[in-house]
Amino acid sequence: MDTVELLAHPVRLRIVHALSGGQARTTGQLCARLPDVSKATVYRHVEILGAAGILEVAEEQRVRGAVERTYRLRREQAVIDADRAAAATAAEHRRVFAAAAATLLAEFNAYLDTENADPAADLVGYRQHALWLSPDEVVALIEDLRAAILPRLAHPPTADRAPYLLSPILFPTVEP
């Protein structure tokens, strides 16, 4: 299964998000992080991601006679590279976008369902802007966004940091 096929699934994408930032979690902890997903589904998708090399076992320990595994994300494996993205069909782009949108909705609903959800205090934003850009300006915008985002991807989890999900989406709209 190639990376597009692996990541074009909302549950697998949510597992990847849950393990970002160097987090290591057991499957039980992933189930707690994704309370709206059945345990069987989480276990099945962890197995798929592990078999594909996107997850690796960070630790194993015996718990009540069973082996409990703690998983870690292999970030470099959880990427759809530029060549693969360029070769994707329109149908594949639709599937990946649908998975990303479904993941975004599921994560937002999970956040809102928490006891302490406070969108104003947490600086939640979901704005959309229509921009008029030349091809060179699109490239410059992407470079600016990368320059702002990439250094922050390296931030490790700490007591004063909360995980945020950032989903830049950029595409040309169709003129009637």
Side-chain angles (χ1 to χ4, degrees):
M1 197 179 302
D2 79 346
T3 311
V4 168
E5 185 72 23
L6 286 164
L7 297 179
H9 192 284
V11 173
R12 290 194 288 265
L13 201 49
R14 289 179 71 194
I15 291 168
V16 167
H17 292 165
L19 292 170
S20 67
Q23 295 285 327
R25 298 180 194 260
T26 65
T27 308
Q29 290 169 325
L30 288 169
C31 288
R33 174 74 173 66
L34 285 70
D36 55 318
V37 180
S38 75
K39 288 182 181 183
T41 299
V42 172
Y43 275 82
R44 184 173 66 249
H45 290 291
V46 164
E47 176 64 30
I48 291 168
L49 291 168
I54 290 176
L55 301 184
E56 66 183 357
V57 176
E59 181 184 341
E60 291 183 331
Q61 65 180 27
R62 285 231 173 258
V63 176
R64 293 184 291 274
V67 175
E68 179 181 66
R69 291 182 178 92
T70 302
Y71 293 92
R72 179 177 31 236
L73 177 65
R74 294 182 63 214
R75 185 112 188 116
E76 72 282 358
Q77 297 296 320
V79 174
I80 298 170
D81 67 32
D83 290 339
R84 180 61 180 97
T89 65
E92 287 174 322
H93 281 288
R94 282 185 182 95
R95 283 188 42 240
V96 172
F97 189 85
T103 299
L104 207 56
L105 185 58
E107 291 285 356
F108 191 65
N109 284 333
Y111 159 73
L112 290 175
D113 289 342
T114 63
E115 187 176 310
N116 297 323
D118 186 345
D122 293 334
L123 301 175
V124 170
Y126 36 85
R127 293 167 185 87
Q128 294 182 354
H129 305 281
L131 307 173
W132 290 82
L133 303 169
S134 70
D136 289 342
E137 291 167 332
V138 171
V139 170
L141 175 63
I142 292 169
E143 289 171 355
D144 290 348
L145 290 170
R146 284 185 180 146
I149 295 168
L150 287 177
R152 289 161 177 86
L153 289 176
H155 289 179
T158 61
D160 64 331
R161 285 189 176 129
Y164 281 78
L165 184 59
L166 177 65
S167 295
I169 298 170
L170 176 69
F171 60 90
T173 58
V174 177
E175 284 293 309

